Amino acid sequence: MKYYIIAGEASGDLHGANLMKALYKEDPAADIRFWGGDLMQAVGGTLVKHYRDLAFMGFIEVLFHLKTILNNIKMCKKDIAAFKPDAIIFIDYPGFNLRIAKWAKELGFKTHYYISPQIWAWKESRITDIKQDVDKMYVILPFEKDFYEVKHHFPVEFVGHPLIDAINNQPIIDAAAFRKENQLNGKPIVAILPGSRKQEITKMLSVMLSVIDDFLDYQFVIAGAPSQEYSFYEGFITNENIKFVSNKTYDLLRIASAALVTSGTATLETALFKVPEVVCYKGSWASYQIAKRIITLKYISLVNLIMDEEVVTELIQDDCTKKRISEELKKIIEPDYRKTLLGKYDVLEEKLGGIGASQKTAKLIVADLK
């Protein structure tokens, strides 16, 4: 059968790659075209558009790139119509994907949504379009099933979180060899995860790295995003206590003692690797002012949202300062605090539903088509 998958971000590329592997197991003759990234491309199929050309963040930034976004939507529709897939699989990325879903449903294509848009955070009104335009929804967060089925009377499948699979499938590394290969010294590591888009990396790295003089016994290691070149990060590497690794975030987290993490999927990844973290986020002034008026969640990190309590500290906008980051980083490297935090991480992992999310989803999609 023919599958068309649309993932518009780095996290979608990761989950899309694992879903593709599972689809090939369930349907060895699968013909897959996709919008995604390097990880999906390594699995097989045909890459139509790379996510690095799609990633625009913030309300104002999207307005500036509206013409490009509209051209991408037009190109995507044309490509789907020519390919005539048996199923279209959307992975998160709602601003783009829900537009395509509406068009696709009108033309009679089967529409499957893997990893729900976070409409429980904002734009809950999108439930109307989802109920109308999405045939099957596969959710990965435990509270999403009640949100859809109890609150909105829309049946969904809770498949568990694919990050557990992604992490379990990651080979164990030789820590000493990794340090040598990446010119890291013997000091304990503070991993710096500033995001994957240029806009957020530029805004976050300066403030995250501002605390290095308070932690001379540690080395700070920037996790470079696969979508960005080393030259983009060079200007931030200002002394010997700042190191850089590219496209090796999971390996870095395996040996890190602590982490500073920009909000998003990375907050959950860091917790599943059992690394104490501080969540940091700064947006543009205008985007932040808009966001705080329409987003009513108590927390911004997935860790706290799933646990429904403040497990990890969130430093947002004006709280995201050198002073506050330094204070919180000192707290999480203290042994007793670390022990308590890791206990909370164990509970978090239990809530996420265990291994097999990608395989469960692939089985359900193929069974529906058959």
Side-chain angles (χ1 to χ4, degrees):
M1 286 180 281
K2 297 163 75 174
Y3 307 85
Y4 200 99
I5 304 175
I6 305 174
E9 299 170 299
S11 60
D13 181 36
L14 171 66
H15 302 320
N18 287 327
L19 179 63
M20 286 171 66
K21 291 174 189 175
L23 283 171
Y24 282 129
K25 283 184 182 177
E26 296 297 318
D27 180 6
D31 183 6
I32 302 176
R33 286 177 73 81
F34 62 91
W35 293 45
D38 298 341
L39 297 176
M40 293 173 75
Q41 192 168 24
V43 175
T46 302
L47 174 65
V48 179
K49 191 88 170 176
H50 200 289
Y51 71 79
R52 73 168 68 95
D53 300 322
L54 306 174
F56 306 112
M57 62 174 288
F59 303 97
I60 305 302
E61 293 83 357
V62 166
L63 286 175
F64 280 127
H65 294 93
L66 190 57
K67 183 177 180 181
T68 300
I69 293 168
L70 293 175
N71 284 338
N72 284 335
I73 290 171
K74 183 177 179 181
M75 172 190 170
C76 185
K77 290 177 180 178
K78 185 176 180 181
D79 195 59
I80 291 170
F83 184 55
K84 296 181 173 62
D86 296 292
I88 304 172
I89 303 168
F90 305 101
I91 300 180
D92 200 359
Y93 199 52
F96 188 94
N97 275 336
L98 286 175
R99 281 189 170 88
I100 300 298
K102 181 172 289 294
W103 167 86
K105 185 67 175 175
E106 289 171 355
L107 293 184
F109 289 109
K110 284 268 191 180
T111 53
H112 294 255
Y113 218 118
Y114 177 45
I115 306 179
S116 163
Q118 294 178 352
I119 64 168
W120 36 265
W122 72 300
K123 288 195 175 180
E124 192 168 341
S125 60
R126 280 175 165 168
I127 186 62
T128 303
D129 290 333
I130 288 172
K131 291 171 80 168
Q132 178 179 301
D133 303 325
V134 175
D135 293 317
K136 301 286 183 179
M137 173 73 78
Y138 311 97
V139 301
I140 64 172
L141 299 173
F143 60 80
E144 289 178 322
K145 189 168 178 67
D146 279 351
F147 172 83
Y148 277 106
E149 295 190 344
V150 176
K151 186 173 184 179
H152 291 292
H153 312 292
F154 180 63
V156 298
E157 295 280 354
F158 173 58
V159 293
H161 205 294
L163 274 182
I164 295 177
D165 290 340
I167 290 169
N168 284 346
N169 292 337
Q170 189 78 1
I172 301 295
I173 64 165
D174 181 322
F178 180 79
R179 284 176 178 271
K180 183 176 180 181
E181 177 189 348
N182 293 282
Q183 300 177 346
L184 307 180
N185 57 38
K187 291 181 180 180
I189 289 170
V190 176
I192 305 293
L193 280 61
S196 60
R197 304 178 184 97
K198 283 187 176 180
Q199 290 164 308
E200 66 184 344
I201 294 169
T202 300
K203 193 167 288 287
M204 295 311 306
L205 263 182
S206 295
V207 67
M208 287 173 157
L209 293 172
S210 67
V211 302
I212 60 171
D213 289 340
D214 295 341
F215 298 89
L216 297 178
D217 292 334
Y218 288 78
Q219 59 188 319
F220 287 67
V221 184
I222 301 168
S227 56
Q228 306 299 342
E229 300 293 331
Y230 170 69
S231 57
F232 173 66
Y233 294 92
E234 269 188 300
F236 297 98
I237 303 172
T238 55
N239 71 47
E240 61 182 14
N241 218 30
I242 303 172
K243 307 292 184 181
F244 176 86
V245 299
S246 180
N247 198 19
K248 296 176 183 174
T249 301
Y250 281 10
D251 291 343
L252 177 62
L253 288 173
R254 282 206 188 277
I255 64 171
S257 298
L260 302 177
V261 187
T262 297
S263 66
T265 304
T267 64
L268 187 54
E269 290 172 313
T270 302
L272 291 174
F273 274 103
K274 307 298 165 62
V275 180
E277 65 181 300
V278 181
V279 176
C280 309
Y281 188 75
K282 273 182 179 284
S284 70
W285 182 86
S287 289
Y288 176 70
Q289 294 302 318
I290 296 169
K292 76 176 185 179
R293 285 164 173 76
I294 62 176
I295 298 175
T296 57
L297 295 175
K298 288 190 288 184
Y299 309 110
I300 64 166
S301 72
L302 284 172
V303 175
N304 293 343
L305 285 168
I306 294 164
M307 293 291 285
D308 196 26
E309 64 175 294
E310 190 177 30
V311 173
V312 296
T313 298
E314 300 178 350
L315 301 179
I316 307 169
Q317 208 67 10
D318 293 340
D319 287 330
C320 189
T321 63
K322 175 182 176 180
K323 180 176 183 291
R324 292 288 288 116
I325 293 171
S326 183
E327 289 171 352
E328 294 300 328
L329 185 52
K330 286 174 182 174
K331 188 188 296 183
I332 64 172
I333 60 180
E334 193 272 325
D336 288 342
Y337 191 93
R338 175 189 176 90
K339 184 179 179 181
T340 301
L341 183 55
L342 295 188
K344 297 278 190 180
Y345 283 175
D346 290 339
V347 176
L348 169 74
E349 189 166 359
E350 289 174 16
K351 287 190 170 204
L352 289 175
I355 62 173
S358 304
Q359 205 65 49
K360 289 173 197 170
T361 305
K363 281 181 182 292
L364 290 166
I365 291 172
V366 173
D368 180 72
L369 295 178
K370 287 180 177 177

